[in-house]
mmCIF file of all heavy atoms in Angstrom:
data_model
loop_
_atom_site.group_PDB
_atom_site.id
_atom_site.type_symbol
_atom_site.label_atom_id
_atom_site.label_comp_id
_atom_site.label_asym_id
_atom_site.label_seq_id
_atom_site.Cartn_x
_atom_site.Cartn_y
_atom_site.Cartn_z
ATOM 1 N N CYS A 160 11.180 -10.138 27.633
ATOM 2 C CA CYS A 160 9.866 -10.243 28.404
ATOM 3 C C CYS A 160 9.427 -11.680 28.540
ATOM 4 O O CYS A 160 8.993 -12.018 29.682
ATOM 5 C CB CYS A 160 8.771 -9.441 27.649
ATOM 6 S SG CYS A 160 9.083 -7.632 27.633
ATOM 7 N N ARG A 161 9.553 -12.438 27.531
ATOM 8 C CA ARG A 161 9.122 -13.866 27.607
ATOM 9 C C ARG A 161 9.938 -14.661 28.591
ATOM 10 O O ARG A 161 9.452 -15.500 29.331
ATOM 11 C CB ARG A 161 9.060 -14.503 26.201
ATOM 12 C CG ARG A 161 7.883 -13.924 25.452
ATOM 13 C CD ARG A 161 7.851 -14.414 23.992
ATOM 14 N NE ARG A 161 6.525 -13.983 23.388
ATOM 15 C CZ ARG A 161 6.315 -13.935 22.078
ATOM 16 N NH1 ARG A 161 7.261 -14.198 21.267
ATOM 17 N NH2 ARG A 161 5.105 -13.455 21.651
ATOM 18 N N LYS A 162 11.251 -14.359 28.583
ATOM 19 C CA LYS A 162 12.194 -15.121 29.504
ATOM 20 C C LYS A 162 11.919 -14.762 30.924
ATOM 21 O O LYS A 162 12.092 -15.659 31.759
ATOM 22 C CB LYS A 162 13.624 -14.833 29.045
ATOM 23 C CG LYS A 162 14.104 -15.552 27.892
ATOM 24 C CD LYS A 162 15.543 -15.415 27.595
ATOM 25 C CE LYS A 162 16.011 -16.380 26.523
ATOM 26 N NZ LYS A 162 17.352 -16.133 26.032
ATOM 27 N N VAL A 163 11.600 -13.532 31.240
ATOM 28 C CA VAL A 163 11.437 -13.106 32.608
ATOM 29 C C VAL A 163 9.880 -13.183 33.012
ATOM 30 O O VAL A 163 9.561 -12.713 34.087
ATOM 31 C CB VAL A 163 11.980 -11.731 32.990
ATOM 32 C CG1 VAL A 163 13.463 -11.698 32.734
ATOM 33 C CG2 VAL A 163 11.343 -10.605 32.173
ATOM 34 N N LYS A 164 9.113 -13.711 32.106
ATOM 35 C CA LYS A 164 7.652 -13.915 32.331
ATOM 36 C C LYS A 164 6.970 -12.624 32.613
ATOM 37 O O LYS A 164 6.086 -12.485 33.511
ATOM 38 C CB LYS A 164 7.402 -14.919 33.528
ATOM 39 C CG LYS A 164 7.871 -16.289 33.131
ATOM 40 C CD LYS A 164 7.612 -17.320 34.187
ATOM 41 C CE LYS A 164 7.909 -18.742 33.756
ATOM 42 N NZ LYS A 164 9.248 -18.976 33.177
ATOM 43 N N LEU A 165 7.290 -11.594 31.820
ATOM 44 C CA LEU A 165 6.690 -10.302 31.892
ATOM 45 C C LEU A 165 5.616 -10.225 30.818
ATOM 46 O O LEU A 165 5.979 -10.293 29.607
ATOM 47 C CB LEU A 165 7.760 -9.166 31.725
ATOM 48 C CG LEU A 165 7.288 -7.764 31.576
ATOM 49 C CD1 LEU A 165 6.474 -7.273 32.857
ATOM 50 C CD2 LEU A 165 8.446 -6.777 31.413
ATOM 51 N N PRO A 166 4.358 -10.085 31.133
ATOM 52 C CA PRO A 166 3.308 -10.014 30.059
ATOM 53 C C PRO A 166 3.532 -8.805 29.146
ATOM 54 O O PRO A 166 4.018 -7.799 29.579
ATOM 55 C CB PRO A 166 1.965 -9.803 30.859
ATOM 56 C CG PRO A 166 2.350 -10.222 32.272
ATOM 57 C CD PRO A 166 3.752 -9.946 32.439
ATOM 58 N N ILE A 167 3.287 -9.044 27.856
ATOM 59 C CA ILE A 167 3.448 -7.916 26.840
ATOM 60 C C ILE A 167 2.053 -7.430 26.514
ATOM 61 O O ILE A 167 1.222 -8.169 25.973
ATOM 62 C CB ILE A 167 4.163 -8.454 25.584
ATOM 63 C CG1 ILE A 167 5.528 -8.913 25.935
ATOM 64 C CG2 ILE A 167 4.240 -7.323 24.567
ATOM 65 C CD1 ILE A 167 6.239 -9.721 24.876
ATOM 66 N N ILE A 168 1.767 -6.161 26.891
ATOM 67 C CA ILE A 168 0.520 -5.568 26.497
ATOM 68 C C ILE A 168 0.397 -5.344 25.050
ATOM 69 O O ILE A 168 -0.632 -5.567 24.406
ATOM 70 C CB ILE A 168 0.315 -4.249 27.282
ATOM 71 C CG1 ILE A 168 0.322 -4.518 28.820
ATOM 72 C CG2 ILE A 168 -1.046 -3.533 26.886
ATOM 73 C CD1 ILE A 168 0.329 -3.193 29.638
ATOM 74 N N GLY A 169 1.541 -4.872 24.455
ATOM 75 C CA GLY A 169 1.549 -4.714 22.978
ATOM 76 C C GLY A 169 2.653 -3.801 22.568
ATOM 77 O O GLY A 169 3.422 -3.311 23.402
ATOM 78 N N VAL A 170 2.739 -3.612 21.246
ATOM 79 C CA VAL A 170 3.785 -2.774 20.608
ATOM 80 C C VAL A 170 3.154 -1.479 20.041
ATOM 81 O O VAL A 170 2.052 -1.528 19.485
ATOM 82 C CB VAL A 170 4.466 -3.566 19.494
ATOM 83 C CG1 VAL A 170 5.548 -2.628 18.703
ATOM 84 C CG2 VAL A 170 5.213 -4.751 20.134
ATOM 85 N N VAL A 171 3.888 -0.360 20.248
ATOM 86 C CA VAL A 171 3.444 0.940 19.608
ATOM 87 C C VAL A 171 4.504 1.238 18.548
ATOM 88 O O VAL A 171 5.725 1.284 18.857
ATOM 89 C CB VAL A 171 3.379 2.007 20.681
ATOM 90 C CG1 VAL A 171 3.186 3.378 20.001
ATOM 91 C CG2 VAL A 171 2.340 1.719 21.658
ATOM 92 N N GLU A 172 3.989 1.469 17.330
ATOM 93 C CA GLU A 172 4.914 1.967 16.258
ATOM 94 C C GLU A 172 4.904 3.492 16.301
ATOM 95 O O GLU A 172 3.909 4.106 15.866
ATOM 96 C CB GLU A 172 4.548 1.417 14.905
ATOM 97 C CG GLU A 172 5.540 1.738 13.809
ATOM 98 C CD GLU A 172 5.202 1.134 12.451
ATOM 99 O OE1 GLU A 172 4.481 1.790 11.652
ATOM 100 O OE2 GLU A 172 5.684 0.053 12.152
ATOM 101 N N ASN A 173 6.021 4.034 16.694
ATOM 102 C CA ASN A 173 6.097 5.499 16.767
ATOM 103 C C ASN A 173 6.757 6.068 15.515
ATOM 104 O O ASN A 173 7.386 5.341 14.769
ATOM 105 C CB ASN A 173 6.954 5.905 18.023
ATOM 106 C CG ASN A 173 6.713 7.285 18.501
ATOM 107 O OD1 ASN A 173 5.714 7.909 18.157
ATOM 108 N ND2 ASN A 173 7.603 7.774 19.407
ATOM 109 N N MET A 174 6.511 7.389 15.248
ATOM 110 C CA MET A 174 7.105 8.058 14.021
ATOM 111 C C MET A 174 6.715 7.284 12.719
ATOM 112 O O MET A 174 7.578 6.987 11.854
ATOM 113 C CB MET A 174 8.614 8.144 14.186
ATOM 114 C CG MET A 174 9.062 8.759 15.445
ATOM 115 S SD MET A 174 10.868 8.970 15.558
ATOM 116 C CE MET A 174 11.078 9.062 17.331
ATOM 117 N N SER A 175 5.461 6.877 12.724
ATOM 118 C CA SER A 175 4.971 5.953 11.619
ATOM 119 C C SER A 175 4.422 6.880 10.487
ATOM 120 O O SER A 175 3.216 7.067 10.440
ATOM 121 C CB SER A 175 3.872 5.124 12.178
ATOM 122 O OG SER A 175 3.323 4.275 11.148
ATOM 123 N N GLY A 176 5.285 7.365 9.639
ATOM 124 C CA GLY A 176 4.821 8.229 8.547
ATOM 125 C C GLY A 176 4.677 9.699 8.984
ATOM 126 O O GLY A 176 4.476 10.009 10.103
ATOM 127 N N PHE A 177 4.776 10.557 8.011
ATOM 128 C CA PHE A 177 4.628 12.017 8.252
ATOM 129 C C PHE A 177 3.659 12.620 7.185
ATOM 130 O O PHE A 177 3.902 12.464 5.959
ATOM 131 C CB PHE A 177 5.944 12.669 8.145
ATOM 132 C CG PHE A 177 5.938 14.181 8.170
ATOM 133 C CD1 PHE A 177 5.585 14.938 9.285
ATOM 134 C CD2 PHE A 177 6.251 14.889 7.049
ATOM 135 C CE1 PHE A 177 5.474 16.282 9.290
ATOM 136 C CE2 PHE A 177 6.151 16.339 7.044
ATOM 137 C CZ PHE A 177 5.771 16.939 8.154
ATOM 138 N N VAL A 178 2.578 13.229 7.603
ATOM 139 C CA VAL A 178 1.692 13.919 6.701
ATOM 140 C C VAL A 178 2.088 15.386 6.599
ATOM 141 O O VAL A 178 2.038 16.133 7.576
ATOM 142 C CB VAL A 178 0.242 13.766 7.197
ATOM 143 C CG1 VAL A 178 -0.716 14.420 6.267
ATOM 144 C CG2 VAL A 178 -0.164 12.281 7.275
ATOM 145 N N CYS A 179 2.384 15.811 5.392
ATOM 146 C CA CYS A 179 2.767 17.246 5.215
ATOM 147 C C CYS A 179 1.599 18.109 5.480
ATOM 148 O O CYS A 179 0.475 17.897 5.032
ATOM 149 C CB CYS A 179 3.243 17.465 3.742
ATOM 150 S SG CYS A 179 3.510 19.194 3.347
ATOM 151 N N PRO A 180 1.750 19.146 6.406
ATOM 152 C CA PRO A 180 0.634 19.984 6.736
ATOM 153 C C PRO A 180 0.115 20.813 5.603
ATOM 154 O O PRO A 180 -1.052 21.274 5.582
ATOM 155 C CB PRO A 180 1.185 20.888 7.901
ATOM 156 C CG PRO A 180 2.677 20.777 7.768
ATOM 157 C CD PRO A 180 3.016 19.455 7.103
ATOM 158 N N LYS A 181 0.966 21.042 4.547
ATOM 159 C CA LYS A 181 0.503 21.898 3.415
ATOM 160 C C LYS A 181 -0.096 21.012 2.289
ATOM 161 O O LYS A 181 -1.233 21.239 1.934
ATOM 162 C CB LYS A 181 1.731 22.674 2.834
ATOM 163 C CG LYS A 181 2.171 23.751 3.806
ATOM 164 C CD LYS A 181 3.221 24.614 3.271
ATOM 165 C CE LYS A 181 3.624 25.726 4.250
ATOM 166 N NZ LYS A 181 4.781 26.477 3.804
ATOM 167 N N CYS A 182 0.635 20.042 1.770
ATOM 168 C CA CYS A 182 0.056 19.311 0.648
ATOM 169 C C CYS A 182 -0.678 18.001 1.038
ATOM 170 O O CYS A 182 -1.270 17.351 0.261
ATOM 171 C CB CYS A 182 1.240 18.930 -0.293
ATOM 172 S SG CYS A 182 2.354 17.683 0.352
ATOM 173 N N LYS A 183 -0.599 17.667 2.322
ATOM 174 C CA LYS A 183 -1.310 16.486 2.900
ATOM 175 C C LYS A 183 -0.784 15.121 2.438
ATOM 176 O O LYS A 183 -1.392 14.111 2.643
ATOM 177 C CB LYS A 183 -2.812 16.592 2.667
ATOM 178 C CG LYS A 183 -3.477 17.817 3.150
ATOM 179 C CD LYS A 183 -3.337 17.983 4.688
ATOM 180 C CE LYS A 183 -3.924 19.279 5.192
ATOM 181 N NZ LYS A 183 -3.571 19.539 6.576
#
């Protein structure tokens, strides 16, 4: 992105932890 001068809005961290629906 920096080399082609494409602005970076930001980064999204996906699959960031898993909360168990039963024990939380």
